[in-house]
Amino acid sequence: MLPVTLEDSTKIVQALLHSGKEYICVMKLHGDAEEEHVRKVLGEFEDLIYQRPPLRSSVKRQLRTRRVYYIDFIEKDGRNVLFKVGCEGGTYIRKLCYDIGEILGCGAHMQELRRTRAGPFVENSNDRVRLHDVAYWFAEWEEKKDEKILRKIIQPMEAALALIPKIVIRDSAVDALCHGANLTAPGILAAETGITKDAMTAVLTLKGEALALAKALVSTEEILDLNHGTVATLQRVVMPRGTYPKVWKSGNAK
Amino acid sequence: MPRTAPPWETTRELLIKAEDTTDPAYGHKPSERPAAEYIRYGVINLDKTAGPTSHEVAAWTKKIMHLTRIGHGGTLEA
């Protein structure tokens, strides 16, 4: 499962890194273990865990914590253990298998891995396409110019933001944000529940277009209560300037 | 350990602070973007086979679709 961002939607790719992943994994034990014991140890890793990135990685190799949301035991066949794991982005499943093996006592390694979810994008959804589908349908589009064909293979980038809490703003506040202004209280029309300080949010227009990713300075309740002040700082703007008109008056719309 | 809910199990409600209208003369609803814009602000849910790397797959997509820029949602953390 690999979400691929096209052109300007690449600007919001960091939203996917924060949205969590799910994998199906085959772990090979280096010794025999009872199924009961394996199930128990897997359960112990459903927690905040410590990991240091492996030698072959592009990130700084410092000890860091990652959350494992769940590990669902599926099947054990001799020394092969099949399980499903849901975790925070940046969790190394190879290291997880190694550590599970250590706790089990017999040792283990990751034999096979398949990602079944990347944020809001899942394996078994209707909009999933393979590379040769992309090649085929894109050729069809180039020949027939029927826009419905594009919608077979491409989703609007807002689909990648499905798990990020939203803030909706007035038309009059849009262009200022596109120019880099931070988000202030008067421009806000709505906010989703569950926003906390420092959370990543997606700023949308009333039409549902994603404008920018912003870091919340306050919670949902405060966003709705406050009448002035900065509510979120911009992290990444994706809408070009001039999409919506410049409004020189501060605050009030019609 | 009590299971923590993953992000995809979090339900959210949109709470309204104020009402306003949006001018149809500017911008587009995402699903109604004209072709060039739809591609420019589009994302593909790609079912990647094991074998080629994420980078290779993204590069192929970029070539097939004649794009100038491409990104992907993370290399498989193995």
mmCIF file of all heavy atoms in Angstrom, chain A residues 215-231:
data_model
loop_
_atom_site.group_PDB
_atom_site.id
_atom_site.type_symbol
_atom_site.label_atom_id
_atom_site.label_comp_id
_atom_site.label_asym_id
_atom_site.label_seq_id
_atom_site.Cartn_x
_atom_site.Cartn_y
_atom_site.Cartn_z
ATOM 1 N N LYS A 215 -0.351 24.020 12.648
ATOM 2 C CA LYS A 215 -0.172 23.462 13.985
ATOM 3 C C LYS A 215 -1.047 24.245 14.949
ATOM 4 O O LYS A 215 -0.911 25.464 15.070
ATOM 5 C CB LYS A 215 1.297 23.563 14.388
ATOM 6 C CG LYS A 215 1.595 22.964 15.748
ATOM 7 C CD LYS A 215 3.078 22.717 15.898
ATOM 8 C CE LYS A 215 3.653 23.569 16.994
ATOM 9 N NZ LYS A 215 5.009 23.123 17.366
ATOM 10 N N ALA A 216 -1.950 23.552 15.633
ATOM 11 C CA ALA A 216 -2.869 24.218 16.552
ATOM 12 C C ALA A 216 -2.122 24.737 17.776
ATOM 13 O O ALA A 216 -1.230 24.079 18.298
ATOM 14 C CB ALA A 216 -3.963 23.239 16.999
ATOM 15 N N LEU A 217 -2.482 25.939 18.207
ATOM 16 C CA LEU A 217 -1.880 26.504 19.414
ATOM 17 C C LEU A 217 -2.780 26.262 20.620
ATOM 18 O O LEU A 217 -2.357 26.382 21.768
ATOM 19 C CB LEU A 217 -1.645 28.013 19.237
ATOM 20 C CG LEU A 217 -0.655 28.399 18.137
ATOM 21 C CD1 LEU A 217 -0.612 29.911 17.978
ATOM 22 C CD2 LEU A 217 0.734 27.871 18.444
ATOM 23 N N VAL A 218 -4.045 25.942 20.324
ATOM 24 C CA VAL A 218 -5.035 25.729 21.383
ATOM 25 C C VAL A 218 -5.939 24.560 21.004
ATOM 26 O O VAL A 218 -5.885 24.064 19.883
ATOM 27 C CB VAL A 218 -5.888 27.000 21.598
ATOM 28 C CG1 VAL A 218 -5.056 28.106 22.207
ATOM 29 C CG2 VAL A 218 -6.519 27.449 20.289
ATOM 30 N N SER A 219 -6.814 24.177 21.931
ATOM 31 C CA SER A 219 -7.714 23.041 21.687
ATOM 32 C C SER A 219 -8.950 23.458 20.892
ATOM 33 O O SER A 219 -9.196 24.642 20.703
ATOM 34 C CB SER A 219 -8.178 22.481 23.024
ATOM 35 O OG SER A 219 -9.002 23.459 23.656
ATOM 36 N N THR A 220 -9.732 22.461 20.462
ATOM 37 C CA THR A 220 -10.988 22.714 19.738
ATOM 38 C C THR A 220 -11.866 23.712 20.497
ATOM 39 O O THR A 220 -12.369 24.670 19.914
ATOM 40 C CB THR A 220 -11.791 21.410 19.540
ATOM 41 O OG1 THR A 220 -10.995 20.468 18.854
ATOM 42 C CG2 THR A 220 -13.064 21.667 18.754
ATOM 43 N N GLU A 221 -12.052 23.469 21.789
ATOM 44 C CA GLU A 221 -12.940 24.316 22.602
ATOM 45 C C GLU A 221 -12.492 25.779 22.551
ATOM 46 O O GLU A 221 -13.303 26.690 22.368
ATOM 47 C CB GLU A 221 -12.955 23.841 24.058
ATOM 48 C CG GLU A 221 -13.627 22.498 24.279
ATOM 49 C CD GLU A 221 -12.858 21.317 23.686
ATOM 50 O OE1 GLU A 221 -11.609 21.345 23.675
ATOM 51 O OE2 GLU A 221 -13.526 20.373 23.218
ATOM 52 N N GLU A 222 -11.193 25.991 22.709
ATOM 53 C CA GLU A 222 -10.671 27.362 22.677
ATOM 54 C C GLU A 222 -10.772 27.968 21.279
ATOM 55 O O GLU A 222 -11.084 29.149 21.122
ATOM 56 C CB GLU A 222 -9.220 27.380 23.157
ATOM 57 C CG GLU A 222 -9.104 27.211 24.669
ATOM 58 C CD GLU A 222 -7.690 26.871 25.075
ATOM 59 O OE1 GLU A 222 -7.250 25.725 24.837
ATOM 60 O OE2 GLU A 222 -7.020 27.759 25.620
ATOM 61 N N ILE A 223 -10.542 27.155 20.253
ATOM 62 C CA ILE A 223 -10.663 27.644 18.868
ATOM 63 C C ILE A 223 -12.060 28.206 18.652
ATOM 64 O O ILE A 223 -12.245 29.251 18.020
ATOM 65 C CB ILE A 223 -10.382 26.520 17.850
ATOM 66 C CG1 ILE A 223 -8.907 26.122 17.879
ATOM 67 C CG2 ILE A 223 -10.794 26.949 16.444
ATOM 68 C CD1 ILE A 223 -8.572 24.892 17.039
ATOM 69 N N LEU A 224 -13.063 27.516 19.205
ATOM 70 C CA LEU A 224 -14.444 27.946 19.003
ATOM 71 C C LEU A 224 -14.807 29.119 19.909
ATOM 72 O O LEU A 224 -15.650 29.949 19.581
ATOM 73 C CB LEU A 224 -15.394 26.769 19.248
ATOM 74 C CG LEU A 224 -15.174 25.578 18.314
ATOM 75 C CD1 LEU A 224 -15.992 24.389 18.778
ATOM 76 C CD2 LEU A 224 -15.548 25.936 16.886
ATOM 77 N N ASP A 225 -14.179 29.209 21.077
ATOM 78 C CA ASP A 225 -14.499 30.248 22.055
ATOM 79 C C ASP A 225 -13.846 31.596 21.774
ATOM 80 O O ASP A 225 -14.455 32.641 21.952
ATOM 81 C CB ASP A 225 -13.993 29.818 23.433
ATOM 82 C CG ASP A 225 -15.080 29.136 24.223
ATOM 83 O OD1 ASP A 225 -16.260 29.274 23.849
ATOM 84 O OD2 ASP A 225 -14.750 28.483 25.224
ATOM 85 N N LEU A 226 -12.572 31.557 21.358
ATOM 86 C CA LEU A 226 -11.796 32.786 21.205
ATOM 87 C C LEU A 226 -12.353 33.702 20.122
ATOM 88 O O LEU A 226 -12.820 33.244 19.088
ATOM 89 C CB LEU A 226 -10.344 32.457 20.860
ATOM 90 C CG LEU A 226 -9.523 31.784 21.962
ATOM 91 C CD1 LEU A 226 -8.219 31.265 21.381
ATOM 92 C CD2 LEU A 226 -9.254 32.754 23.090
ATOM 93 N N ASN A 227 -12.285 35.016 20.376
ATOM 94 C CA ASN A 227 -12.745 35.992 19.384
ATOM 95 C C ASN A 227 -11.607 36.717 18.706
ATOM 96 O O ASN A 227 -11.811 37.420 17.728
ATOM 97 C CB ASN A 227 -13.668 37.017 20.052
ATOM 98 C CG ASN A 227 -14.992 36.395 20.427
ATOM 99 O OD1 ASN A 227 -15.566 35.651 19.643
ATOM 100 N ND2 ASN A 227 -15.453 36.662 21.619
ATOM 101 N N HIS A 228 -10.416 36.584 19.252
ATOM 102 C CA HIS A 228 -9.258 37.199 18.612
ATOM 103 C C HIS A 228 -8.024 36.387 18.981
ATOM 104 O O HIS A 228 -8.056 35.564 19.882
ATOM 105 C CB HIS A 228 -9.102 38.668 19.030
ATOM 106 C CG HIS A 228 -8.943 38.844 20.510
ATOM 107 N ND1 HIS A 228 -10.014 39.077 21.331
ATOM 108 C CD2 HIS A 228 -7.855 38.809 21.301
ATOM 109 C CE1 HIS A 228 -9.580 39.174 22.580
ATOM 110 N NE2 HIS A 228 -8.283 39.012 22.591
ATOM 111 N N GLY A 229 -6.950 36.672 18.282
ATOM 112 C CA GLY A 229 -5.698 35.979 18.576
ATOM 113 C C GLY A 229 -5.396 34.888 17.571
ATOM 114 O O GLY A 229 -6.263 34.435 16.833
ATOM 115 N N THR A 230 -4.128 34.487 17.584
ATOM 116 C CA THR A 230 -3.680 33.429 16.665
ATOM 117 C C THR A 230 -4.079 32.070 17.226
ATOM 118 O O THR A 230 -3.886 31.804 18.401
ATOM 119 C CB THR A 230 -2.143 33.487 16.491
ATOM 120 O OG1 THR A 230 -1.783 34.806 16.149
ATOM 121 C CG2 THR A 230 -1.697 32.538 15.396
ATOM 122 N N VAL A 231 -4.623 31.258 16.395
ATOM 123 C CA VAL A 231 -5.178 29.984 16.815
ATOM 124 C C VAL A 231 -4.327 28.820 16.303
ATOM 125 O O VAL A 231 -4.279 27.754 16.907
ATOM 126 C CB VAL A 231 -6.646 29.959 16.306
ATOM 127 C CG1 VAL A 231 -7.026 28.667 15.708
ATOM 128 C CG2 VAL A 231 -7.591 30.395 17.393
#
